[in-house]
Amino acid sequence: MSLNSSSQRRPLMAANWKMYKTIPQAEAFLKEFLPAVANVNDVDVVLCPAMVALAPVSQLLSGTQVALGAQNMNENEEGAFTGEISGAMLTSVGCKYVIIGHSERRQFFGETDASVNKKILAALKHNLVPIVCVGETLAERDANQTLQVVGRQVRAGLANIPSAETKKLVIAYEPVWAIGTGRTATPAQAQEVHLAIRDILKDQYGSLTSLAIRILYGGSVKPENIAELMACEDIDGGLIGGASLKPDSFGSIVKFRSASTPSASR
Ligand code: PEP
C-alpha cells in the first residue's frame, strides 16, 4: 500500500439504487450480495435503496458491516410536507448516510445550492453522514467552467457547517455528463477536480480536516474502471448507480483491491 495521504482515508463505496428495485428485488439482491462481501472489512459499504425498501433492507443489514443510506431527505424537523421524509425518520429506520443534492434532484426537483445546504445541516443535526453531490454539466465542462461550478457548489453547499462536524462530510464529485451515460471521466479528469475540491476544503477547514474528508467519484463507475480511479491520490471511493444494481458488479467494485490491474495497489 502506498503511503500517500489517501491511505489515511478508508475507502467508501455507496450504491445509489435511484427508483429501481421493489422490496422483493432488494431482498433478492442482498441474498447474493451480503455473502459475497462478508469478508471485506477494509472498505465502508453503503446501500441507498428507495424509501419504501429502507425498513426491510435495514433488517437484512443488521449484524453486517454494510450500512444503510437514503437518497434524499427534507430539511424540516416535521410538518405538513406531503410526500417528504425527515432526518429523524431516516435515523429511526437505521440510516447512517443520506445522499444530498444528487444532480437528478437538482435537475428534476429544483434543488439548489441553498436547499442543499439546508439539507446538509439537517442531516448532520440528526447524526446522518451527508454524501454531498456536486458536478458540472457537459456544457459547463465545454465552456471550461468545471472548477468554477464545482467550487461554487462546494462553498455554498457547505456554508455554516459546525466545525465539529466537518470531518464527517462525504463529497461525491459526479460530472453530470458521466451519470448513466457509460462515459466515465478519465482518472486524470476526476483527480483534477477532486484535488480542487480538497484545496477548497483546506481553505475552509484547514489541512488536517481536508485530508480526513472522503471525496467519492461517481459517473459510470464499473468493475472495469474502479481500480484505476481508486489509484488516484484524492479519490476515496465511489457513488455508483447502474453498476450497483447487480450483486456481482457491485460486489466486484467493493472488492476493487482484488482486481488484477497494477493500479489497484492502493
Ligand atoms: C449516480 O446515480 O450517482 C451515478 C453515478 O449513476 P451511474 O453510476 O449509473 O452513472
Side-chain angles (χ1 to χ4, degrees):
M1 188 192 285
S2 64
L3 286 176
N4 58 28
S5 59
S6 62
S7 60
Q8 300 175 16
R9 298 179 292 273
R10 193 174 151 88
L12 191 161
M13 298 297 171
N16 174 16
W17 284 354
K18 313 193 188 199
M19 201 172 74
Y20 293 102
K21 290 200 190 295
T22 60
I23 294 171
Q25 288 167 339
E27 288 167 346
F29 175 98
L30 290 173
K31 207 169 161 195
E32 227 183 290
F33 177 72
L34 290 177
V37 299
N39 293 330
V40 179
N41 49 25
D42 52 0
V43 175
D44 286 340
V45 183
V46 182
L47 294 181
C48 304
M51 297 295 185
V52 73
L54 285 173
V57 169
S58 182
Q59 282 204 336
L60 291 169
L61 295 186
S62 147
T64 76
Q65 86 287 25
V66 178
L68 185 69
Q71 298 173 19
N72 179 34
M73 67 176 278
N74 187 280
E75 65 273 26
N76 292 288
E77 280 301 300
E78 62 179 3
F81 302 105
T82 302
E84 292 293 281
I85 191 155
S86 71
M89 291 168 186
L90 295 183
T91 46
S92 75
V93 77
C95 284
K96 299 271 183 283
Y97 294 81
V98 57
I99 299 173
I100 306 272
H102 191 281
S103 65
E104 287 152 15
R105 297 221 49 94
R106 293 180 192 252
Q107 191 181 349
F108 303 126
F109 301 97
E111 294 201 6
T112 61
D113 292 337
S115 66
V116 164
N117 178 244
K118 286 185 191 156
K119 289 182 183 212
I120 296 169
L121 292 169
L124 290 167
K125 196 168 156 206
H126 286 278
N127 220 10
L128 291 159
V129 174
I131 301 177
V132 182
C133 301
V134 297
E136 81 287 3
T137 62
L138 188 56
E140 289 162 344
R141 175 161 283 266
D142 287 345
N144 265 329
Q145 292 171 346
T146 299
L147 298 184
Q148 187 189 326
V149 168
V150 171
R152 187 206 71 224
Q153 291 171 332
V154 171
R155 285 196 183 84
L158 302 186
N160 307 315
I161 306 282
S163 56
E165 307 274 28
T166 48
K167 280 189 185 163
K168 278 190 216 156
L169 294 168
V170 175
I171 318 269
Y173 168 55
E174 299 207 300
V176 178
W177 48 271
I179 297 179
T181 58
R183 197 179 150 191
T184 319
T186 63
Q189 284 174 322
Q191 168 59 23
E192 182 194 16
V193 182
H194 281 235
L195 180 59
I197 293 172
R198 203 170 306 282
D199 280 344
I200 294 171
L201 298 174
K202 187 173 168 189
D203 232 37
Q204 299 203 315
Y205 308 133
S207 180
L208 228 59
T209 299
S210 78
L211 289 173
I213 295 176
R214 291 179 290 187
I215 308 177
L216 315 182
Y217 169 78
S220 299
V221 171
K222 305 183 255 298
E224 297 75 30
N225 58 26
I226 186 64
E228 60 177 14
L229 288 161
M230 288 303 289
C232 297
E233 173 88 12
D234 289 287
I235 299 184
D236 306 313
L239 179 55
I240 298 118
S244 74
L245 293 170
K246 295 218 173 87
D248 55 346
S249 69
F250 191 50
S252 303
I253 290 169
V254 166
K255 293 186 272 188
F256 70 95
R257 285 194 169 103
S258 348
S260 53
T261 49
S263 55
S265 61
R266 183 174 155 186

